[in-house]
Amino acid sequence: MSALAAGASGAPNPPAFSKSEMMIVAAARELAGQRVCFVGVGLPNIAVNLARLTVAPELELVYESGAFGAQPARLPLSIGDPTIVTGATAAVSMFELFSFYLQGGLVDVGFLGAAQIDRFGNINSTVIGDYDHPKTRLPGSGGACEIAINARQVFVIMRQSKRSFVEHIDFRTSPGNLGGAETAARIRKEQGWLGRGPSVVVTDLAIYHFDESGEMRLDSLHPGATLDQVRETMGWQPKIAEPLATTPDPTAEEMRLIREVLDPEGAYTK
Amino acid sequence: MSALAAGASGAPNPPAFSKSEMMIVAAARELAGQRVCFVGVGLPNIAVNLARLTVAPELELVYESGAFGAQPARLPLSIGDPTIVTGATAAVSMFELFSFYLQGGLVDVGFLGAAQIDRFGNINSTVIGDYDHPKTRLPGSGGACEIAINARQVFVIMRQSKRSFVEHIDFRTSPGNLGGAETAARIRKEQGWLGRGPSVVVTDLAIYHFDESGEMRLDSLHPGATLDQVRETMGWQPKIAEPLATTPDPTAEEMRLIREVLDPEGAYTK
Amino acid sequence: MTKVASMRDAVAECVRDGDTVAIEGFTHLICFAAGHEIIRQHKRDLTLARLTPDLIYDQMVAAGVARKLVFSWLGNPGVGGLHAIRRRVEAPADGGAFEPLELEEYSHFGMVGRYTAGASNLPFFPLRSYFETDLPKANPLIRPIRSPFGEETVYAVPPLKPDVTIVHAQRADAAGNTQMWGLLGCQKEAAFAADRVIVVVEELVDESVVRADPNRTVIPGLIVDAVVVEPWGAHPSYVQGAYDRDNHFYRDWDAISREAASTQQWLNEWVYGVAGRAEYVEKLGAERLAGLKPSGSAPSGEVDYGVYK
Amino acid sequence: MTKVASMRDAVAECVRDGDTVAIEGFTHLICFAAGHEIIRQHKRDLTLARLTPDLIYDQMVAAGVARKLVFSWLGNPGVGGLHAIRRRVEAPADGGAFEPLELEEYSHFGMVGRYTAGASNLPFFPLRSYFETDLPKANPLIRPIRSPFGEETVYAVPPLKPDVTIVHAQRADAAGNTQMWGLLGCQKEAAFAADRVIVVVEELVDESVVRADPNRTVIPGLIVDAVVVEPWGAHPSYVQGAYDRDNHFYRDWDAISREAASTQQWLNEWVYGVAGRAEYVEKLGAERLAGLKPSGSAPSGEVDYGVYK
C-alpha cells in the first residue's frame, strides 16, 4: 500500500499520495451535503473527520460506541477512544444509539467496510468459505447488518481485489440491492425500512455508484489507476460510465490535513 | 372517615385512631419481611413510609415515577414530589422503571387501590358502567395493569362498600386470581409471569388474604368493626377464617409516626 | 445556527390544527406554558397524547383545542378527577354544549412502549401487560403476539409518532442540545418519536456547559426544531432544583374546574388574559414564587471526563 | 450491609463452571481483572457473552475456560483478528490440540436486544435487522415475527440472561449503587439481565456521593452481589477520566497471540504469575501507568437538585 502515484491533473507541484490517501480523500468528498454520519471502526473514521474539515463542515458524527457531536482533541484511534467523549454533546447507551439514532432513521450515511461485495452491493463480513467450517473467520456483523438496513444511505469503503469483488459472496451479512434495484426497493418499502441502501463504493482504484438496475457502475478512476487494473481486480465485468471520469488528485490542503492534522503517525495511510 | 374507635386491646391509654389510620397501620404491618416495594399514588405512599420506620427498615421504595432508594425530607405529597429525587440512590426513566424494575421481576410488593374488586382480587379502576358510555369515568390503569401482572405479590388497599366489593366488576383493569387459583396459577406459569398475584386486601374494616381456591378470606376484623358491617359492605358472602382475629390497635409509636412525622397535616388520614 | 424562538413563534410554526401533540413529563417538567400558548392560538382538532393528561390537558380540553386523548391515567394526582374532561366523556349525548371527546386508552407501560416503538421505527412494542384484562377489548390497538420462542403470548402496542412533542427541561444550548435531571419520565422517547420537537427551558446555556457533561444530555439538538426560553414555564408543575410543585394550585383546580363557567373564567383570566408566560409569572406574584423555591441547594458534585490529547 | 469483597472471593462465589458469563463494556470499562481471576481459578465450560469478545475473551479462550462464545463482532479493533479464538474456530478437526469452540452469532443491536429482553423478562426482542441476510440461517435463534399491525415482518432475538454479569465502573458505594460516565455500552442491560452481578470499581465512595447525583446511577445496589475495588482493573481497556486505552498492548497482543506457545507464555507471566490485579499493576510499572493518565482534567460541572423540606 505504499505505492505512490504522481498527480495526473497537471496542477503545479501536485503532492504525492498513496492509494490509501486517495481512497480516504475520495470517500470524504462524497460526504458533501450530508448531515449525520455513523462512524464505524477503521478507514471511515479518518474519512469522516477529513470531510468535516473540508466539504462537510456541518457533518455530525455519531460514533457506533455511543458518542454524538464529538470534538476529538486527537484523531481517535478507535471508535471507543475516550477523546470522542470528552467535549461531545451527548454520550448515550448502545440501546439508545441503535434504537433511536440508527433504527429511528436519524443517520444519513452509514459507512461499511467489507471482506466481499457483489455487483449489487451486498456485503460479506462474516466468513470466507462455509459458515460451519470457514476458511477464514472474519469479525462478523458488528453493527453492519443494521447499518445497511437503517442508514438512509450506505457508503462502502474497501480495497478491491478478485477475492473481495466477487460474483457471489460467501455469506450475506449486510443487504445491499439484493438481486437488483426492483426487488430491493420493493422489500425496503414493504418492510418500512428507512434506508435506501448502498449509494457509493470507494476503493483504492476507483469510485462506483449504483445505476437504476441497482448494479455498481464504475464512475471515476483514481489518478494512476487503469481500466485493466480495475478489471483484473473484480470478479465480474463492471458497467462503466460514459464518459468515465478521473478522480481529481487530493489537494494540497487535503494532504496537509491527513498528514499533519488527522494521522501524523500514518496509522491509516501506511 | 372521622369516626374514632376506642382501642380494644386493653392497653393502657390506647390512642384514639381513625379508620384510615387503622387501614394504613394494618397495611404497613403486612410489609414485614418484604424488600422492594413499588409505591403508587395515594394511601400506599404513607403505608410504605410507615413500614420503613417500623416493621420493614430494609424496605426499598421504588416510586412509579422513577425514583429508587428515596430518602424524602418530607412526606412526599405525590409520587412525583421533588423530595423523593434529592438524595435518592437512583432516578431513572419510565422505560427503565417499567422494563427492568417491574417487568424484570425486581418488585416484591406492588400496591394497588381499586374502585371495584371481586372475590378473586380482580380489579377495576377504569369505568363504572359501560365502557363506551360510562356512569363514572375513573382514572384508568396507570401502572395498575402491569403491577398486577409483574409484581411478585400485590397488596390492595381500599375502603369497602357494596359499590366497591362486588360480585362482578364492570371492567377488569388488573388481573387477580381470575376465575380462581387454578386457572390463575396455570396462566401465570404458561405465560412466564413473575408475579403470583394478589396476596392481601386491607380495608377500613378488615384484613383479607387469599385461600387455596384463590378467593378472598376475611382473616382479621379491625377493632370496632363487626361482621355485620363487613357483610353489609360486600357484594358476596365472604369466607371467614376460623378463628377470626382482631387486628391489634395501632401502637402509640405507629400513631406518633403518622401524626407527627409522616402526615402532620392529615392529608391522608382525614 | 440558533434555534431559539419565542413561544409564540415556536407554537405557531410547529403546531398545526389536527396534529397529534404530546406535552410529556411525568409529574415533573410539564410544560404548561406551551399548553397555554396553544390555547391562545386557538389550535383545533388536536389529538393530545400524555401518560397522565393532568391539569394541562384538562385546561386544553376545556378550551376546545382537542378532539381526542391518548393516555394511561386520567386524574388530578392526589386530588381527584379531571372535571373538564369528564364533562365531555360522561355526558356526550345529553349535554349538547359539550362535544364528545374520543379516548384511546393504554397503561403507563403501554404508552412508554408506544413512544419507544415510535422512536425506534419499530412496527410494535411487546410487553407483558394486558393479558386477561378488558383493555384489549376497549382498545383494539392492543393486540396479542405470539413469541417465536416457546408458547408465551405477550401483547403489542403500536408506535406512537406525535407530529409535535413538547418537553420542558432545566437547560439547553441554542442548537437544542438539552439536559435535564430529576424524574425523566418518557421525555426522551416522546421526543425521538416525534416529527417536530419544541424544547422549553428554564435557562439557555452555552454549548460548553452541555459539552462538559455529555452523559447528562437527554435530547440531542439534531431532533430539536425550536428552543424556547421560558422561566417558570412548567408551573404549577415543577422543575427539579428550580421550583417546587404548586400543590395548592392542583387542589384549587378541583373547585375551579367543577363548572364549565368557572373554568372558562379561569382561562379568561390566566390564559387569554395574559400575553404569555412572563405576564403569567408576574401575575402569580413574587410571594407565591418565593414560596415555591427549594429551601436549599443540593449540588450533584462533579465528575472528571479527562482530557485526552 | 456491605457487599465489598476481594476479586478472588467474588469470582469464587459468583462464577461457577458451566455458567454463562458476560463481561461487558463497549471498548470502555472492560474488566480484564475479572477475566484474569476467572482464568486463575481454572473455571471451565463457560459460555462467554459479549458484543465484542476483544482481547479479554481471546485470553480466556486461550486459557481454556470457555466452550462457547455468544457475540456480534470478533476482532481486535483497529488491529486485526483474535488469534486464540480463530485457532479454535478455523481448525476444529485437524488441530487435535484445540477443542472446537461453539459460536452463537448476532449483530450488535441483536446482542443489545437480547440483554434488553433478558433484563425485561420479555420472551423476545424485535428489531429490523437480519432481513435478507444469512444470519438467521447461521443462527436459528434469530426468527421472523409478523407485526400485528400491518404487513411488516421484523426479526426477534431471544432473551439473554447471563448467570453472571461483570461490569467495571468508575465508582460505587458499599451497597453496590454504581455510577459510570463516558461510553455506557450495554452495561446496564447486561447487569439487569443477570442472575448475579459483580461490579468492579476504580473507587469505593460513600453512599452520600452516589445520592448527590441520582441520575448518574446506572446500576442499583439492589441487583449487585459483590463490589470489588480494583484500581486499573480495566487495563488495557480504559476508564473515562481515570486512564487511557493502552493501544500499544492491543497491538502487541497481535504478535503475542499468533502462536499458542507465546500466548501461554504471556498467560504464565501476566495472569498465572501474579496473585491479582495489584501485582499486575506493579508489574506494569509506574512509567507505563503515568503514560496512560489523561493529560488534564475535564470537569463535568455541577447541577442542583434542590432541597425540598
Side-chain angles (χ1 to χ4, degrees):
Chain A
M1 283 303 134
S2 61
L4 297 184
S9 67
N13 299 323
F17 51 88
S18 71
K19 284 179 169 181
S20 292
E21 284 164 339
M22 183 71 252
M23 179 161 60
I24 289 162
V25 166
R29 290 173 185 159
E30 293 282 330
L31 286 165
Q34 299 299 336
R35 180 146 181 242
V36 182
C37 183
F38 198 87
V39 189
V41 69
L43 287 168
N45 196 3
I46 186 165
V48 298
N49 277 286
L50 179 60
R52 207 161 61 94
L53 296 173
T54 53
V55 294
E58 299 291 313
L59 198 66
E60 298 256 30
L61 312 186
V62 182
Y63 279 87
E64 187 181 44
S65 52
F68 181 70
Q71 291 188 328
R74 65 186 182 204
L75 181 73
L77 287 168
S78 79
I79 53 159
D81 194 303
T83 199
I84 65 168
V85 171
T86 304
T89 47
V92 304
S93 73
M94 294 191 82
F95 177 83
E96 188 172 335
L97 184 84
F98 280 99
S99 295
F100 301 165
Y101 286 77
L102 184 58
Q103 195 173 267
L106 297 178
V107 172
D108 294 320
V109 179
F111 257 107
L112 294 178
Q116 292 181 328
I117 191 168
D118 68 19
R119 69 177 73 206
F120 294 114
N122 301 298
I123 281 176
N124 172 20
S125 51
T126 302
V127 286
I128 304 297
D130 178 58
Y131 183 79
D132 290 316
H133 303 284
K135 264 187 279 187
T136 308
R137 173 67 229 194
L138 302 163
S141 165
C145 164
E146 36 257 356
I147 291 169
I149 287 172
N150 297 302
R152 299 281 173 166
Q153 52 181 307
V154 170
F155 283 21
V156 182
I157 184 165
M158 62 190 291
R159 295 184 174 89
Q160 66 176 84
S161 73
K162 280 259 194 239
R163 290 193 310 180
S164 62
F165 274 57
V166 295
E167 185 69 43
H168 298 289
I169 57 179
D170 292 357
F171 188 98
R172 193 191 285 164
T173 313
S174 308
N177 288 327
L178 306 174
E182 209 173 313
T183 325
R186 180 178 51 76
I187 286 180
R188 286 177 183 270
K189 183 156 182 285
E190 278 174 6
Q191 295 307 320
W193 295 4
L194 298 175
R196 295 183 306 273
S199 61
V200 57
V201 179
V202 176
T203 76
D204 48 340
L205 298 178
I207 302 171
Y208 305 80
H209 296 91
F210 290 82
D211 70 8
E212 320 71 50
S213 71
E215 191 176 329
M216 227 186 272
R217 181 192 59 220
L218 174 64
D219 278 348
S220 183
L221 272 179
H222 294 339
T226 65
L227 260 182
D228 280 350
Q229 274 181 302
V230 163
R231 291 203 177 97
E232 281 160 18
T233 51
M234 288 179 84
W236 71 91
Q237 283 303 315
K239 291 185 176 178
I240 299 173
E242 292 273 6
L244 176 61
T246 300
T247 314
D249 281 6
T251 65
E253 176 62 5
E254 285 165 338
M255 290 307 296
R256 187 189 69 78
L257 288 167
I258 290 177
R259 293 188 177 173
E260 293 175 26
V261 178
L262 291 171
D263 191 19
E265 293 181 36
Y268 290 94
T269 47
K270 276 176 304 205
Chain B
M1 284 303 134
S2 62
L4 296 183
S9 67
N13 300 322
F17 50 90
S18 71
K19 283 180 170 181
S20 292
E21 284 164 339
M22 183 70 254
M23 179 162 59
I24 290 162
V25 165
R29 290 174 187 157
E30 292 282 330
L31 286 164
Q34 298 299 337
R35 182 147 179 242
V36 181
C37 183
F38 198 87
V39 189
V41 70
L43 287 169
N45 196 2
I46 186 165
V48 299
N49 277 286
L50 179 60
R52 208 161 60 93
L53 296 173
T54 54
V55 294
E58 299 290 313
L59 197 66
E60 299 256 29
L61 311 186
V62 182
Y63 279 87
E64 188 181 42
S65 52
F68 180 71
Q71 290 188 330
R74 64 186 182 205
L75 181 73
L77 287 169
S78 79
I79 53 160
D81 194 302
T83 198
I84 65 169
V85 171
T86 304
T89 47
V92 305
S93 73
M94 295 192 81
F95 177 83
E96 188 172 335
L97 184 84
F98 280 99
S99 295
F100 301 166
Y101 286 76
L102 183 58
Q103 194 172 268
L106 297 177
V107 172
D108 294 320
V109 179
F111 258 106
L112 294 178
Q116 292 181 328
I117 191 168
D118 68 19
R119 70 178 74 206
F120 295 114
N122 301 297
I123 281 176
N124 173 20
S125 51
T126 302
V127 286
I128 304 295
D130 178 58
Y131 183 78
D132 289 316
H133 303 284
K135 264 187 280 187
T136 308
R137 172 67 228 195
L138 302 163
S141 165
C145 164
E146 37 256 357
I147 291 169
I149 287 172
N150 297 302
R152 300 282 173 167
Q153 50 182 308
V154 170
F155 284 21
V156 182
I157 184 165
M158 63 190 291
R159 295 185 173 89
Q160 66 177 84
S161 73
K162 279 259 196 240
R163 290 194 310 180
S164 63
F165 274 57
V166 296
E167 185 69 43
H168 298 288
I169 57 180
D170 293 356
F171 188 97
R172 193 191 286 164
T173 314
S174 308
N177 288 327
L178 307 174
E182 209 173 314
T183 325
R186 180 178 53 73
I187 286 179
R188 286 177 182 270
K189 182 158 183 283
E190 278 174 8
Q191 295 308 322
W193 295 4
L194 297 174
R196 296 183 304 274
S199 62
V200 57
V201 178
V202 176
T203 76
D204 49 339
L205 297 179
I207 302 171
Y208 305 79
H209 297 90
F210 291 82
D211 69 9
E212 320 70 51
S213 70
E215 191 176 329
M216 226 186 273
R217 183 191 56 221
L218 173 64
D219 279 349
S220 183
L221 273 177
H222 294 339
T226 66
L227 259 182
D228 280 351
Q229 275 182 301
V230 164
R231 289 202 180 98
E232 282 160 18
T233 52
M234 287 179 84
W236 70 92
Q237 284 302 317
K239 290 186 178 178
I240 299 173
E242 293 270 6
L244 177 61
T246 301
T247 314
D249 281 6
T251 65
E253 175 63 6
E254 286 165 338
M255 290 306 297
R256 187 189 67 79
L257 287 167
I258 290 177
R259 294 188 176 174
E260 294 176 24
V261 178
L262 291 171
D263 191 21
E265 292 181 36
Y268 290 94
T269 48
K270 278 177 301 204
Chain C
M1 196 201 53
T2 180
K3 294 173 181 164
V4 177
S6 68
M7 181 67 88
R8 187 173 297 172
D9 290 349
V11 166
E13 275 173 40
C14 292
V15 182
R16 297 158 200 172
D17 287 351
D19 272 359
T20 294
V21 177
I23 303 180
E24 264 304 338
F26 193 76
T27 77
H28 183 212
L29 298 171
I30 306 172
C31 194
F32 280 75
H36 289 181
E37 183 59 29
I38 288 170
I39 294 173
R40 271 191 296 272
Q41 295 192 14
H42 301 284
K43 302 292 182 185
R44 284 296 175 266
D45 293 322
L46 301 182
T47 293
L48 297 178
R50 249 185 82 75
L51 272 65
T52 59
D54 204 84
L55 271 48
I56 184 60
Y57 283 3
D58 209 35
Q59 294 170 358
M60 291 170 78
V61 164
V65 307
R67 64 164 197 85
K68 182 175 177 182
L69 287 184
V70 182
F71 73 100
S72 47
W73 195 85
L74 197 63
N76 180 342
V79 178
L82 294 172
H83 303 299
I85 290 172
R86 283 177 63 173
R87 272 193 290 279
R88 284 182 53 184
V89 174
E90 291 175 11
D94 61 345
F98 305 111
E99 267 185 273
L101 184 71
E102 197 182 335
L103 297 186
E104 186 181 318
E105 176 165 16
Y106 298 86
S107 60
H108 281 348
F109 193 27
M111 284 293 285
V112 171
R114 292 200 65 194
Y115 286 129
T116 304
S120 309
N121 188 33
L122 274 177
F124 65 91
F125 194 84
L127 66 174
R128 289 192 178 272
S129 310
Y130 306 126
F131 212 96
E132 290 285 344
T133 74
D134 290 329
L135 283 155
K137 280 175 237 164
N139 180 352
L141 290 173
I142 299 173
R143 298 183 184 167
I145 185 168
R146 179 78 173 273
S147 168
F149 308 99
E151 299 299 302
E152 293 168 58
T153 295
V154 293
Y155 273 84
V157 289
L160 176 53
K161 299 190 180 192
D163 294 298
V164 195
T165 288
I166 301 173
V167 298
H168 200 89
Q170 279 94 344
R171 68 189 186 195
D173 65 20
N177 295 298
T178 304
Q179 300 191 325
M180 55 184 82
W181 52 97
L183 299 173
L184 303 175
C186 50
Q187 305 274 55
K188 176 190 298 193
E189 292 80 1
F192 273 98
D195 187 34
R196 303 181 286 281
V197 175
I198 302 174
V199 167
V200 185
V201 292
E202 292 293 315
E203 188 191 5
L204 185 71
V205 295
D206 190 78
E207 183 185 333
S208 63
V209 173
V210 170
R211 289 185 181 275
D213 197 357
N215 287 124
R216 188 85 71 194
T217 305
V218 172
I219 295 170
L222 178 63
I223 62 168
V224 173
D225 296 273
V227 177
V228 177
V229 185
E230 201 77 282
W232 295 91
H235 177 273
S237 168
Y238 73 101
V239 175
Q240 190 81 39
Y243 46 93
D244 202 349
R245 189 166 184 267
D246 192 344
N247 292 302
H248 287 285
F249 184 79
Y250 274 81
R251 283 195 283 263
D252 291 348
W253 182 252
D254 192 61
I256 294 165
S257 60
R258 271 187 194 271
E259 301 299 330
S262 53
T263 308
Q264 286 307 318
Q265 202 178 340
W266 185 89
L267 289 173
N268 287 339
E269 182 177 352
W270 288 90
V271 180
Y272 299 114
V274 297
R277 181 80 355 180
E279 215 174 304
Y280 170 101
V281 172
E282 202 185 322
K283 195 170 155 66
L284 278 175
E287 198 183 339
R288 181 133 186 199
L289 301 182
L292 294 171
K293 297 297 288 181
S295 50
S297 157
S300 64
E302 285 195 325
V303 303
D304 187 3
Y305 283 89
V307 174
Y308 293 88
K309 274 191 181 156
Chain D
M1 194 202 55
T2 179
K3 294 174 182 164
V4 177
S6 68
M7 182 66 88
R8 187 174 297 173
D9 290 349
V11 166
E13 276 173 39
C14 293
V15 183
R16 296 157 201 171
D17 288 351
D19 272 358
T20 295
V21 177
I23 303 180
E24 263 305 336
F26 193 74
T27 76
H28 183 213
L29 298 170
I30 306 172
C31 194
F32 279 75
H36 290 180
E37 183 59 29
I38 288 171
I39 294 173
R40 272 192 296 273
Q41 294 192 16
H42 301 285
K43 303 291 181 186
R44 285 295 176 267
D45 293 322
L46 301 182
T47 293
L48 297 177
R50 247 185 84 74
L51 273 65
T52 58
D54 204 84
L55 272 48
I56 184 60
Y57 283 3
D58 208 36
Q59 294 170 358
M60 291 170 78
V61 164
V65 307
R67 65 164 196 84
K68 183 174 177 182
L69 287 183
V70 182
F71 73 99
S72 48
W73 195 84
L74 196 64
N76 179 343
V79 178
L82 294 171
H83 303 299
I85 290 172
R86 283 177 62 173
R87 273 194 290 278
R88 284 182 54 183
V89 174
E90 291 175 9
D94 62 345
F98 305 111
E99 268 185 274
L101 184 70
E102 198 183 334
L103 296 186
E104 187 182 317
E105 177 164 14
Y106 299 85
S107 60
H108 280 348
F109 193 26
M111 284 292 286
V112 171
R114 294 200 63 195
Y115 286 129
T116 304
S120 310
N121 187 34
L122 274 177
F124 65 91
F125 194 86
L127 65 175
R128 289 194 178 271
S129 310
Y130 306 127
F131 211 96
E132 288 284 343
T133 74
D134 290 328
L135 283 155
K137 282 175 233 162
N139 181 353
L141 289 173
I142 299 172
R143 297 183 185 167
I145 186 169
R146 178 79 172 274
S147 168
F149 308 98
E151 299 299 302
E152 294 169 57
T153 294
V154 294
Y155 273 84
V157 291
L160 176 51
K161 300 190 179 192
D163 295 297
V164 195
T165 288
I166 301 173
V167 299
H168 199 89
Q170 279 95 343
R171 68 191 186 195
D173 66 20
N177 295 297
T178 304
Q179 300 190 324
M180 55 184 83
W181 52 96
L183 300 172
L184 302 175
C186 49
Q187 306 274 53
K188 176 189 298 192
E189 292 80 1
F192 273 98
D195 188 34
R196 301 181 288 279
V197 175
I198 302 174
V199 166
V200 185
V201 292
E202 292 293 315
E203 189 190 4
L204 185 71
V205 294
D206 190 77
E207 184 185 331
S208 62
V209 173
V210 170
R211 289 184 181 276
D213 197 357
N215 286 125
R216 187 84 72 193
T217 304
V218 173
I219 296 170
L222 179 62
I223 61 168
V224 172
D225 295 273
V227 177
V228 177
V229 185
E230 201 79 281
W232 295 92
H235 177 273
S237 169
Y238 74 100
V239 175
Q240 190 81 37
Y243 45 93
D244 203 348
R245 189 166 184 268
D246 193 344
N247 291 303
H248 286 286
F249 184 79
Y250 274 81
R251 283 195 282 263
D252 290 348
W253 181 252
D254 192 62
I256 293 164
S257 60
R258 270 186 194 272
E259 301 298 331
S262 53
T263 309
Q264 284 308 316
Q265 201 179 338
W266 185 89
L267 290 173
N268 286 340
E269 183 177 349
W270 288 90
V271 181
Y272 299 113
V274 297
R277 181 78 356 179
E279 212 174 305
Y280 170 101
V281 172
E282 201 186 323
K283 197 169 152 66
L284 278 175
E287 200 183 337
R288 181 132 186 199
L289 301 182
L292 294 171
K293 297 298 286 182
S295 49
S297 157
S300 64
E302 285 194 327
V303 304
D304 187 3
Y305 284 87
V307 174
Y308 293 88
K309 275 192 182 155

